[in-house]
Amino acid sequence: HVQLVESGGDSVQSGGSLRLSCTASGLPFGDFDMAWYRQASGHERELVSNARSDGTTYYSSAVKDRFIVSRDDGTVYLSMDRMKPEHTGMYYCAAGRGYACFTLRTSGYTSWGQGTQVTVS
């Protein structure tokens, strides 16, 4: 079965940096789009960034020019720089494929990790 395991969450000060990792197993990694979502307390889960199977990437306006997504050999990374308090939340890794993923719809992601907490103060 598919398993996604996130790591790297921590508490950092505003302006600091973190790197999240998500290791995937049980799926043909190269065929799947991989995404990072954030869920802040009391808010819905929102797409932060994705790294598609075709090599293209997407960033939300809140993180563009601050975060970099990359993928390699079964792992997807999210390098976060110049972080702000509004970047606080539980970060989830997700995997999916098909048109829904390509068009950034959450419904396209069929596998999810358990999340890793990021706190910026």
Side-chain angles (χ1 to χ4, degrees), residues 2-6 21-37 47-59 68-78 92-98 100-102 104-105 108-113:
V2 177
Q3 189 171 18
L4 304 176
V5 180
E6 302 98 333
S21 300
C22 170
T23 301
S25 59
L27 77 169
F29 184 75
D31 293 344
F32 275 70
D33 293 353
M34 302 298 296
W36 287 98
Y37 278 75
L47 178 63
V48 173
S49 179
N50 76 1
R52 299 186 183 97
S53 59
D54 65 359
T56 59
T57 57
Y58 163 83
Y59 298 95
I68 297 175
V69 65
S70 59
R71 54 187 294 167
D72 180 48
D73 196 24
T75 300
V76 59
Y77 304 94
L78 187 67
Y92 296 91
C93 174
R97 54 184 173 181
C101 284
F102 186 79
L104 307 177
R105 281 180 280 171
Y109 294 98
T110 53
S111 299
W112 293 82

